[in-house]
Structure formats: structure tokens, C-alpha cells
Amino acid sequence: MDQSVKSMQTMNKTRDYTLFDRLCLGADQVVRALTNNAITTGQPYPAKSVEDHPMTTEQRKHAAALMRINHTGEICAQALYHGQGLVSRSPVIQEKMQQAAIEEGDHLAWCKQRLNELGSHTSYLNPLWYAGSFCIGMAAGMVGDKWSLGFVAETERQVINHLEKHLNLLPATDQRSYEILKKMENDEAKHRDEAIISGAKELPSPVKLAMNFMSKIMVKTVYWL
Ligand SMILES: [Fe+2]
Ligand SMILES: [Fe+2]
């Protein structure tokens, strides 16, 4: 495991952070997320041993646009967990959010690596999506830990549905992106189940619909930008 991750986990277990500590940690997390330098668990790249089959220019562009959306989705995940962790009053929830953000860091790194391989860029709108998701995460965290976990469970549910769609939309020859999304889907299912086991409350339908609406706007804009 990455030495920085080990030391961060050790720090989490041995000290209580003041608000100032958490703000400094938060600023570091924002910069890391937006510069593709988020802390990861060091899981291997899922596409490592998958052949990169030739694609037409159009197929490559389409695959890159889909991976750009997934990269932004992971930026949003980082922001949601950071926002929730910042305002949660429970050290247990703070640590869970911290750990979840580290695990999502793997996904962020994989999507970025695949975008590089496809010769494309991350979304120009990522700072905006980070800011919006961070505020939503803080709002969810302020309502209480069970609701915060409910928000995580619902987010992961929607992400799994979205990844399922993208697995079908990828060009058949893009097996490398496919393997990455498949592994992400498995990880998101674990995150969803952990949130439910930890006591997540089921969110009201209007909140679920609003979350779905927001993610649709993200998907439509980030495909092009
Ligand atoms: Fe993820
Ligand atoms: Fe997740």
C-alpha cells in the first residue's frame, strides 16, 4: 500500500482533527483531486494486461468522451465524500468518508490514464462540478450521518446504473475501457453495500430524482466539454 495512504490512515486513527486541520486537509484534497493527484489505495490498473485494439477516429473520440464523463463522475465522488467528511460530527463517519475518497482515487487515476491512452483531455468543467458536488456533500453531511450514508448509497446505486449503460455504449473493440468500468462497477457496489450496512436511510423520491437530474446535466455537458 502507498506509504502516504498508510500514514494518513494511521493519523486518522490516532488523532482528532480540529476544524482548522480539516480545512487544511480539505484544501489539499481539492488541489489533489483537480490536478489528478488524488491519494489512491494503489490497486493495479484493471486494463494493464488487456490488448489495446485499433479503433476508428470516431470510435476513439466516442470512447474518450465516455471516459471523460466517468472521470468527472469520480471528481464528483471525491467532492461528495470530502464535503460529507468535513461536516460530519462522527469520527467514524469522517474516517469512512476519508477512506471512501481514497478508494475513489483509484477510479479517478484509472479514468485519467485511459483518457491519456485515448489521446483526450479531462473535462474543462471539473472545477465547477467539484464545487457543486462538494456543496451537495456538505448539505447531505449536515442533515445527519444516517442520511449522509443514505446519500452515499443512492449515489452509488445511480453510478452503478450509469456504468452499466456505459459498458453497453463503449465501442466493442475498447476492451481496456470496458475492464476499467467493470472493476469500478464492482467497487461501487461494495461502497453501496457498506453504506447500507452502516445504517443508510432510504432517501425520499424527490431527492433521488433531483440527483438523477443533476447527473444527466453532467453527462450531457461533459461528453463535449
Ligand atoms: Fe468511483
Ligand atoms: Fe464509489
PDB file of all heavy atoms in Angstrom, residues 16 21 95 112 186:
ATOM      1  N   ASP A  16      -7.685  13.402  16.814  1.00  0.00           N
ATOM      2  CA  ASP A  16      -8.923  14.057  16.402  1.00  0.00           C
ATOM      3  C   ASP A  16      -8.524  15.349  15.717  1.00  0.00           C
ATOM      4  O   ASP A  16      -7.738  16.128  16.247  1.00  0.00           O
ATOM      5  CB  ASP A  16      -9.788  14.377  17.630  1.00  0.00           C
ATOM      6  CG  ASP A  16     -10.426  13.125  18.178  1.00  0.00           C
ATOM      7  OD1 ASP A  16     -10.698  12.219  17.379  1.00  0.00           O
ATOM      8  OD2 ASP A  16     -10.619  13.065  19.403  1.00  0.00           O
ATOM      9  N   ASP A  21      -7.522  21.958  11.103  1.00  0.00           N
ATOM     10  CA  ASP A  21      -6.817  20.807  10.484  1.00  0.00           C
ATOM     11  C   ASP A  21      -7.626  20.316   9.291  1.00  0.00           C
ATOM     12  O   ASP A  21      -7.089  20.032   8.219  1.00  0.00           O
ATOM     13  CB  ASP A  21      -6.712  19.634  11.481  1.00  0.00           C
ATOM     14  CG  ASP A  21      -5.695  19.893  12.571  1.00  0.00           C
ATOM     15  OD1 ASP A  21      -4.819  20.737  12.358  1.00  0.00           O
ATOM     16  OD2 ASP A  21      -5.812  19.245  13.629  1.00  0.00           O
ATOM     17  N   GLU A  95     -13.966   9.092   9.097  1.00  0.00           N
ATOM     18  CA  GLU A  95     -12.948   8.147   8.623  1.00  0.00           C
ATOM     19  C   GLU A  95     -13.471   7.335   7.445  1.00  0.00           C
ATOM     20  O   GLU A  95     -12.751   7.080   6.481  1.00  0.00           O
ATOM     21  CB  GLU A  95     -12.535   7.223   9.762  1.00  0.00           C
ATOM     22  CG  GLU A  95     -11.277   6.457   9.401  1.00  0.00           C
ATOM     23  CD  GLU A  95     -10.801   5.533  10.497  1.00  0.00           C
ATOM     24  OE1 GLU A  95     -10.954   5.886  11.678  1.00  0.00           O
ATOM     25  OE2 GLU A  95     -10.285   4.467  10.158  1.00  0.00           O
ATOM     26  N   LYS A 112      -8.255   8.720 -15.777  1.00  0.00           N
ATOM     27  CA  LYS A 112      -7.291   9.681 -16.335  1.00  0.00           C
ATOM     28  C   LYS A 112      -6.273   8.946 -17.221  1.00  0.00           C
ATOM     29  O   LYS A 112      -5.954   9.396 -18.331  1.00  0.00           O
ATOM     30  CB  LYS A 112      -6.592  10.418 -15.182  1.00  0.00           C
ATOM     31  CG  LYS A 112      -5.460  11.332 -15.618  1.00  0.00           C
ATOM     32  CD  LYS A 112      -5.970  12.531 -16.397  1.00  0.00           C
ATOM     33  CE  LYS A 112      -4.894  13.544 -16.665  1.00  0.00           C
ATOM     34  NZ  LYS A 112      -4.389  13.574 -17.999  1.00  0.00           N
ATOM     35  N   ASN A 186     -17.872  -2.982  -9.790  1.00  0.00           N
ATOM     36  CA  ASN A 186     -17.756  -3.885  -8.623  1.00  0.00           C
ATOM     37  C   ASN A 186     -17.447  -3.101  -7.358  1.00  0.00           C
ATOM     38  O   ASN A 186     -18.028  -3.345  -6.304  1.00  0.00           O
ATOM     39  CB  ASN A 186     -16.626  -4.913  -8.844  1.00  0.00           C
ATOM     40  CG  ASN A 186     -17.045  -5.973  -9.818  1.00  0.00           C
ATOM     41  OD1 ASN A 186     -18.231  -6.174 -10.063  1.00  0.00           O
ATOM     42  ND2 ASN A 186     -16.071  -6.653 -10.406  1.00  0.00           N
TER      43      ASN A 186
END
